[in-house]
Amino acid sequence: MRAFTYERPVDLAAALVAIGQPGARFLAGGTNLLDLMKVEAETPQHLVDVSRLPLDQISEENGGLRIGAMVTNTALAGDSHVREHYPVLARAVLNGASAQLRNQATTGGNLLQRTRCYYFYDPSTPCNKRAPGSGCSALQGYNRIHAILGASDACIAVHPSDMAVAMMALDAEVEVEAPHSHRRIKIADFHRLPGNTPQNDTILGAGELITAVILPPPPPGGQVYRKVRDRASYDFALVSVAAVVETDGERIRSARIALGGVAHKPWRALEAERQLAGVPLSDDALAAAGETAVKGAQGHGHNDFKIPLAARTVASALAEAAKQRKA
Amino acid sequence: MPDTILGQPIDRIDGKAKVTGAARYAGDRRAEHPAFGVIVTSTVGRGTINKVDIKEAQAAPGVVLVMSHENAPAQAPFKHAGDRHARPKPQLNGARVHYYGEPVALVVADTFEQATAAARLVRVSYQTEMGAYDLAGNRRFAYTPAELVQGKPDSSLGDFDKGFAQGAQTVDATYTTPYQSHNPMELVASLAQWDGDRLTVHCATQLVDAAHHSIASTLRIPLENVEVISEFIGGGFGGKLPIYGDAILAALAARQLKRPVKVTLTRQQMFSVTTHRAATIQRVRLAAGTDGKLTAIAHEVMSQSARMDEFVESAAASTRSMYAAPNRLTRHRVVPLDMPVSDSMRAPGDAVGQLAIEQAMDELAYKLDLDPVELRLRNEPTEDPEKHVPYSTRKLVECLKRGAAEFGWDKRPSVPGTLKDGQWLVGFGVAAAIRGNYRRPATARVRMDENRHVTVEMDMTDIGTGSYTIFAQVAADALGVPIGQVTVKLGDSSYPQTPGSGGSFGAASCAPAVHDACMEIKKKLDAGQGPGNLQAEVKSAPGEEFKKFSQYSYGAHFAEVGVDTSTGEARLRRMLGVFDAGRIYNSKTARSQLVGGMIWGVGSALHENAVVDQRYGLFVNHDLAGYHVPVHADVPAVDAIMLAGFDGKSNEMGSKGVGELGICGAGAAVANAIYNACGVRIRDYPITPDKVLRGLMRPANLAQQR
Ligand SMILES: Cc1cc2nc3c(=O)[nH]c(=O)nc-3n(C[C@H](O)[C@H](O)[C@H](O)COP(=O)(O)OP(=O)(O)OC[C@H]3O[C@@H](n4cnc5c(N)ncnc54)[C@H](O)[C@@H]3O)c2cc1C
Ligand code: SF4
């Protein structure tokens, strides 16, 4: 870990000024940033601790929900409104990390957590995301946990968040603040594909602070989060699926499908969703949607299994969600 | 059974100190005005160091010393021969790089943070060479090692080929097991301090005596000038049998700086600087008649060894004693790779050997259409089939029968893929366990003061297994005093010599010494002496019983596993082990050992895998987020039953080794349960969802479904 300076601004305005210092980064729960600093995958010179800013409220807003950026993962998953109306989000958050980490991790930090690609964490190896231009070790290396969709030759990393996958299915928006700007970004646009600049995980500008995540009113239908992983808990997704399915008992009215563990960003399977709208509910239809969801997927050797795994998990998550059929 | 504290499930006597933080581990030790050392490791797998540029590091804040092979003090040369763990362990003693992650420099600074930051500023340039990192790809370089801990590398009896040809059913299968890393909770750490020419090293070691010799010989100073202290150890598993660069480098730096130096490995460094369990490729061939009796057994093992330091994973050694069969063959080969040093890990040989052979037995049972418990019962030998000596004690049959009854084995689906629970297919698996029983010479000193307070001293260690507690029980029992009146002091080289903790021999070696020393005190008391100022020091050693008898501890594992049919995830649902480990000194700490071993077996079956990047020779997933061991959710209901027993051939106290027994065979029971659940046979450990899924998707799969 390199030496760094630290400050805890008293309010939002002060935080937005403080972040203007060279090499400054926001610090929230610290569960990802500090780990990365220890291995020097990240080397900020100055930390601006925003963890105590008054952004830790969950409130109803226009039939939806406003989740402050500093709401902890534990608080988010335990919120009664979230549990009742956005169970896919509660489940996704609870499927992430461990209780101790969730107590510390924040909503904003979770969105901005970085990939768990082994090479990204090991400065002795080339990695375009950590050291642009140095090469991608995973491409020809051990890539079992890597992307099958939307990757580039520069980087095949996946975004590791569970929470963001559920938010993707819920059409969340990210509220962002900078000294002279205030904007809302659709979550689908928030994270980006690696292209030639894998060092950028999101479209967030320098110094922009996430202040909240906004959920629109809950979608109709059953909600399911299904996470496939090597062990039963405390493990990142090999593949995860957030599914929302509305049926009339026989026909699918609408479906939403988001995948985690497959791409550089939470992945929405829009074509598969369209394919399901209005069709009779059947195992075949769901299996076909699973296949569509992975259309164009490409494995890199160790992760080839993710293609059929993602297809099957989509199908089984859809089936489970369809069964719930909330009136 | 007389009314005795021996065997009672009493809480560990050091438990309170541990949970309150009063117990001081090596890394917790403090000294006056210490400096902190951080190790820099190699970033190539094989090659030569061109240059170590220390300019920038040396100029960094707080840095007081940067050491590399260019300026490291002379030390005794490395020796292959001799006691593996007592040998000299010279550090930074040449430009050669033997593996990725080998120590190449030490940076010492006033604070740990300064040393950590400066360590990244050491620039090492290499002449990189092509290394050999792939076990399977280098099998043509396999050679026969001179010997195993258990004797000869190869054995044969009868005519294997003929016996194999005679079988009505045969299995010929190859199993692979991956690299595993010990990575106990406590990081390897040392604090070294000189007082004139006397050195004290607080370090995390299982074998104080070996560490003592290793440190003194490396530094070429008299043994009596070195004191090694390892009072508490946060897990060892074999990973703390040797000492590592932290101890030697701390001592060298402390001498040079004339101030105490503490060196702690990082979690990442634990994967390469310390040892690991070697990967293996094992071919097992079994043949049996329609009566289920084995006509032939062959178990051939190929394992990785560091090119620089041979270690043999003796995976087929116990196969020589396990089942009856007239025609037999075992072989051990070693493939030298440019990888970190492999060494013993919990049940070396046995743990991985039984992942193979006990799965092969299961495969044979299906071929014979025989209950796998029954198959094992039918091949119970009357004497050791290769050594031709009686067993000291062997209750494998009882373990199997008791386990089957308690587990409800009769509810096992006999056809794979037929027991469903929602999205899950459920299966039962069984495997037997065998673990070599060892004993080494040990000396204990016991004192009694005027208040009848008893103090036991040995250089033995407690690596979390409960040694402190059981020796207190032994002394309390022998002297008839309450356990609160016994103080046990371990982990200091100034105490009498013992073999330390390893190979499950600690209790079997040391308890008799403690007992005998107590009896000497008792004799003195009975003769009218004392109680004050009494002291006895007694050495206790194994006799001929280890030659005259085949000595093992045994067990049987029963596992119930669910397999998710759409994702291939296999999850343990419950597990029971029944064990024959002779007399149990403390049924609580022993059970913890057994259950802990079983859980490691579950991890061996499903999770653990230190993956090598074949281009660099690097363990890629070198932290505990990437290297998976079971978490609570993976081990729902695991229980262990210990059969009442007494093995007087093992030692006078009647105990056999416990610590490593639980892991033996445990993973195979899980693998076998997976097959029983879904008809997918995975011979390449660990059995991760990708592998199961591939099997489920095969058109021929019995349980094919979505
Ligand atoms: C062992 C382990 C296992 C884990 N398992 C999982 C898992 O299974 N699933 C999962 O989803 N996650 C998992 N996590 C990751 C965990 O969810 C994240 O570490 C956590 O959510 C990050 O939140 P934080 O508040 O601690 O972020 P920090 O570490 O404080 O920050 C992360 C990043 O976000 C930036 N940042 C933080 N807040 C803001 C803000 N408001 N505006 C702008 N930038 C900001 C920081 O500058 C930093 O770059 C795991 C973590 C660990 C260590
Ligand atoms: S996949 Fe991305 S993060 Fe991983 S090594 Fe390649 S560039 Fe780095």
Side-chain angles (χ1 to χ4, degrees):
Chain A
M1 189 183 272
R2 300 250 182 101
F4 59 90
T5 50
Y6 168 93
E7 73 173 296
R8 197 167 68 222
V10 289
D11 56 25
L12 184 65
L16 295 177
V17 173
I19 200 69
Q21 291 192 50
R25 291 288 293 279
F26 290 120
L27 175 73
T31 60
N32 190 217
L33 185 56
L34 294 182
D35 278 3
L36 289 164
M37 288 168 67
K38 285 184 200 165
V39 296
E40 294 196 8
E42 300 229 37
T43 51
Q45 289 160 265
H46 185 64
L47 290 186
V48 179
D49 184 345
V50 290
S51 64
R52 296 191 207 177
L53 293 183
L55 299 171
D56 58 350
Q57 297 300 313
I58 301 178
S59 51
E60 290 179 48
E61 192 177 280
N62 304 328
L65 217 55
R66 179 189 176 81
I67 303 161
M70 296 308 144
V71 170
T72 65
N73 288 180
T74 298
L76 180 59
D79 182 82
S80 56
H81 194 92
V82 172
R83 288 166 59 132
E84 191 176 339
H85 300 288
Y86 304 95
V88 65
L89 178 59
R91 293 308 312 166
V93 173
L94 285 178
N95 268 280
S98 66
Q100 294 90 333
L101 283 159
R102 293 193 297 269
N103 288 341
Q104 182 72 10
T106 64
T107 305
N110 192 317
L111 280 178
L112 290 177
Q113 64 173 300
R114 310 213 62 189
T115 184
R116 306 305 291 202
C117 171
Y118 310 112
Y119 302 99
F120 179 65
Y121 273 74
D122 185 347
S124 76
T125 59
C127 167
N128 287 326
K129 188 182 277 297
R130 176 175 25 78
S134 61
C136 170
S137 292
L139 204 54
Q140 306 294 331
Y142 183 60
N143 49 39
R144 182 168 176 273
I145 60 172
H146 289 74
I148 51 170
L149 287 162
S152 72
D153 280 352
C155 178
I156 56 171
V158 300
H159 193 265
S161 171
D162 290 297
M163 181 193 82
V165 177
M167 287 179 172
M168 188 78 167
L170 295 169
D171 286 331
E173 291 186 355
V174 184
E175 186 184 81
V176 168
E177 202 82 39
H180 304 291
S181 78
H182 170 98
R183 55 175 178 154
R184 272 193 185 194
I185 307 166
K186 288 201 174 78
I187 191 151
D189 302 329
F190 184 76
H191 297 96
R192 57 186 293 284
L193 292 178
N196 285 325
T197 50
Q199 63 271 27
N200 300 323
D201 294 349
T202 67
I203 62 160
L204 215 55
E208 279 187 309
L209 179 76
I210 299 175
T211 48
V213 172
I214 316 291
L215 300 183
Q223 302 181 12
V224 163
Y225 189 74
R226 177 71 172 93
K227 181 174 180 179
V228 184
R229 44 183 157 179
D230 284 325
R231 62 181 171 191
S233 178
Y234 199 25
D235 192 7
F236 291 92
L238 293 168
V239 162
S240 69
V241 174
V244 183
V245 179
E246 184 201 3
T247 75
D248 61 11
E250 269 136 46
R251 275 176 190 281
I252 298 170
R253 284 209 187 106
S254 69
R256 298 189 191 187
I257 305 164
L259 291 100
V262 295
H264 200 252
K265 58 185 289 190
W267 190 266
R268 190 77 182 258
L270 291 172
E271 196 186 330
E273 293 178 8
R274 280 193 292 269
Q275 183 182 319
L276 286 173
V279 306
L281 179 61
S282 73
D283 286 350
D284 284 348
L286 301 182
E291 295 300 335
T292 302
V294 296
K295 213 161 78 186
Q298 203 194 333
H300 302 277
H302 301 101
N303 70 347
D304 292 349
F305 72 97
K306 281 190 176 184
I307 300 173
L309 177 61
R312 293 163 74 102
T313 309
V314 164
S316 77
L318 287 170
E320 205 183 323
K323 248 184 267 164
Q324 289 182 0
R325 193 162 78 91
K326 267 217 216 129
Chain B
M1 266 275 142
D3 178 25
T4 166
I5 190 161
L6 260 192
Q8 296 301 315
I10 63 166
D11 293 344
R12 59 183 69 220
I13 58 177
D14 50 339
K16 190 168 166 193
K18 283 185 170 172
V19 297
T20 56
R24 293 271 181 250
Y25 294 80
D28 303 332
R29 291 284 179 167
R30 294 189 176 205
E32 196 82 17
H33 190 49
F36 296 85
V38 168
I39 290 173
V40 180
T41 56
S42 65
T43 55
V44 301
R46 181 185 162 110
T48 308
I49 301 171
N50 283 337
K51 171 104 199 88
V52 183
D53 181 354
I54 62 172
K55 260 197 274 47
E56 223 181 320
Q58 219 153 19
V63 172
V64 292
L65 174 68
V66 182
M67 198 188 279
S68 74
H69 74 284
E70 293 172 4
N71 62 353
Q75 303 149 66
F78 177 73
K79 265 201 308 227
H80 281 277
D83 180 329
R84 191 171 174 79
H85 304 120
R87 298 174 297 180
K89 295 276 162 53
Q91 300 295 316
L92 311 179
N93 65 329
R96 278 306 293 172
V97 174
H98 304 91
Y99 56 86
Y100 205 112
E102 182 177 12
V104 292
L106 176 78
V107 177
V108 189
D110 289 330
T111 69
F112 170 70
E113 290 77 10
Q114 289 169 334
T116 302
R120 296 264 180 208
L121 303 176
V122 176
R123 315 262 177 239
V124 187
S125 58
Y126 303 91
Q127 192 71 43
T128 310
E129 296 166 19
M130 278 280 280
Y133 309 121
D134 179 24
L135 177 59
N138 288 281
R139 53 198 307 165
R140 65 185 181 284
F141 299 113
Y143 66 91
T144 308
E147 61 175 338
L148 315 177
V149 176
Q150 299 91 338
K152 297 217 164 64
D154 292 5
S155 74
S156 70
L157 195 77
D159 182 340
F160 173 77
D161 289 333
K162 214 168 121 201
F164 191 69
Q166 276 166 8
Q169 292 293 346
T170 60
V171 169
D172 179 353
T174 298
Y175 305 85
T176 54
T177 65
Y179 292 98
Q180 289 190 346
S181 176
H182 307 85
N183 260 291
M185 191 84 92
E186 181 203 16
L187 298 170
V188 164
S190 292
L191 171 66
Q193 187 161 16
W194 292 84
D195 180 6
D197 59 1
R198 297 189 51 86
L199 169 68
T200 305
V201 182
H202 292 277
C203 62
T205 181
Q206 298 175 226
L207 314 178
V208 167
D209 185 54
H212 191 206
H213 281 84
S214 189
I215 293 169
S217 65
T218 308
L219 302 183
R220 298 202 266 223
I221 54 177
L223 255 190
E224 55 275 18
N225 284 10
V226 180
E227 184 176 11
V228 172
I229 301 173
S230 203
E231 199 182 344
F232 293 99
I233 295 124
F237 315 124
K240 290 169 184 166
L241 293 172
I243 54 147
Y244 300 104
D246 58 303
I248 301 298
L249 291 171
L252 291 173
R255 184 165 64 186
Q256 197 163 328
L257 294 169
K258 300 196 184 341
R259 73 195 262 203
V261 172
K262 186 188 284 188
V263 179
T264 308
L265 299 188
T266 65
R267 182 59 70 189
Q268 287 81 356
Q269 288 174 344
M270 293 286 286
F271 284 79
S272 63
V273 177
T274 77
T275 54
H276 61 265
R277 198 197 296 277
T280 69
I281 301 172
Q282 304 178 49
R283 181 180 185 198
V284 178
R285 284 175 289 168
L286 302 174
T290 46
D291 58 357
K293 295 217 159 155
L294 290 164
T295 56
I297 299 180
H299 191 175
E300 295 162 276
V301 180
M302 196 168 293
S303 64
Q304 170 265 346
S305 168
R307 193 187 299 284
M308 63 164 302
D309 189 2
E310 180 186 286
F311 178 80
V312 193
E313 187 68 32
S314 49
S318 292
T319 303
R320 296 169 186 169
S321 303
M322 188 57 167
Y323 296 114
N327 306 293
R328 328 174 58 94
L329 181 111
T330 66
R331 278 192 192 130
H332 293 88
R333 299 290 178 269
V334 165
V335 180
L337 297 178
D338 301 293
M339 291 292 297
V341 180
S342 52
D343 204 324
S344 298
M345 185 190 286
R346 202 172 196 171
D350 286 330
V352 290
Q354 284 155 58
L355 286 174
I357 191 106
E358 287 298 313
Q359 202 184 153
M361 285 294 280
D362 199 64
E363 299 200 36
L364 183 64
Y366 281 94
K367 287 200 165 175
L368 290 162
D369 198 16
L370 197 62
D371 183 317
V373 171
E374 180 60 27
L375 175 65
R376 288 170 173 88
L377 296 178
R378 289 199 192 167
N379 289 286
E380 177 67 10
T382 50
E383 60 163 24
D384 188 296
E386 296 198 24
K387 289 182 201 141
H388 300 297
V389 296
Y391 293 104
S392 59
T393 50
R394 172 170 164 127
K395 293 191 183 158
L396 176 59
V397 167
E398 199 178 330
C399 290
L400 285 161
K401 287 187 172 165
R402 172 89 183 270
E406 304 253 349
F407 191 73
W409 181 249
D410 53 345
K411 299 198 182 60
R412 159 186 178 263
S414 53
V415 179
T418 52
L419 184 57
K420 269 197 202 168
D421 180 6
Q423 79 207 31
W424 301 91
L425 283 172
V426 179
F428 287 25
V430 65
I434 178 170
R435 173 66 192 150
N437 184 47
Y438 302 100
R439 180 183 177 187
R440 306 252 172 101
T443 306
R445 182 161 59 224
V446 176
R447 291 185 274 119
M448 183 183 263
D449 70 11
E450 56 280 10
N451 303 319
R452 292 187 162 267
H453 192 94
V454 178
T455 302
V456 177
E457 288 170 341
M458 291 181 284
D459 77 359
M460 174 62 185
T461 52
D462 185 331
I463 58 175
T465 49
S467 308
Y468 276 112
T469 310
I470 63 163
F471 298 137
Q473 286 174 274
V474 169
D477 173 68
L479 289 165
V481 299
I483 192 161
Q485 235 163 283
V486 182
T487 302
V488 179
K489 294 184 168 180
L490 304 177
D492 192 315
S493 59
S494 65
Y495 300 150
Q497 194 177 338
T498 71
S501 299
S504 302
F505 49 57
S509 305
C510 297
V514 173
H515 180 262
D516 291 356
C518 288
M519 285 332 232
E520 294 256 313
I521 301 260
K522 191 154 188 283
K523 238 187 271 166
K524 293 182 189 181
L525 286 171
D526 291 347
Q529 278 189 51
N533 228 351
L534 292 181
Q535 179 170 322
E537 189 168 319
V538 176
K539 180 171 180 175
S540 154
E544 290 295 291
E545 297 82 3
F546 281 79
K547 289 205 188 91
K548 289 198 231 153
F549 297 91
S550 175
Q551 298 233 15
Y552 293 92
S553 45
Y554 296 92
H557 300 274
F558 295 82
E560 179 182 322
V561 169
V563 175
D564 186 306
T565 48
S566 52
T567 64
E569 290 162 295
R571 304 281 189 245
L572 183 75
R573 300 182 143 209
R574 63 191 180 102
M575 191 164 181
L576 175 69
V578 180
F579 300 99
D580 158 26
R583 180 197 211 152
I584 300 297
Y585 295 116
N586 180 325
S587 54
K588 185 173 191 176
T589 55
R591 181 184 173 279
S592 295
Q593 284 303 301
L594 292 164
V595 168
M598 290 167 72
I599 291 171
W600 200 331
V602 173
S604 302
L606 301 178
H607 308 123
E608 279 193 64
N609 185 7
V611 178
V612 182
D613 186 310
Q614 303 293 349
R615 301 164 300 175
Y616 313 135
L618 159 78
F619 285 127
V620 191
N621 51 339
H622 53 214
D623 62 31
L624 294 184
Y627 183 85
H628 294 155
V629 300
V631 296
H632 280 103
D634 293 297
V635 284
V638 178
D639 201 5
I641 295 173
M642 293 158 280
L643 297 179
F646 188 96
D647 189 335
K649 312 288 190 316
S650 169
N651 62 71
E652 307 83 287
M653 306 289 293
S655 68
K656 299 198 277 189
V658 170
E660 299 171 307
L661 178 58
I663 189 175
C664 299
V670 174
N672 296 339
I674 291 172
Y675 178 77
N676 184 244
C678 67
V680 176
R681 183 64 79 181
I682 306 293
R683 302 183 183 90
D684 175 33
Y685 292 98
I687 307 173
T688 44
D690 46 332
K691 298 176 192 172
V692 178
L693 181 62
R694 216 175 295 137
L696 286 172
M697 284 168 42
R698 236 173 256 137
N701 179 256
L702 298 169
Q704 162 58 29
Q705 50 198 297
R706 286 224 157 184

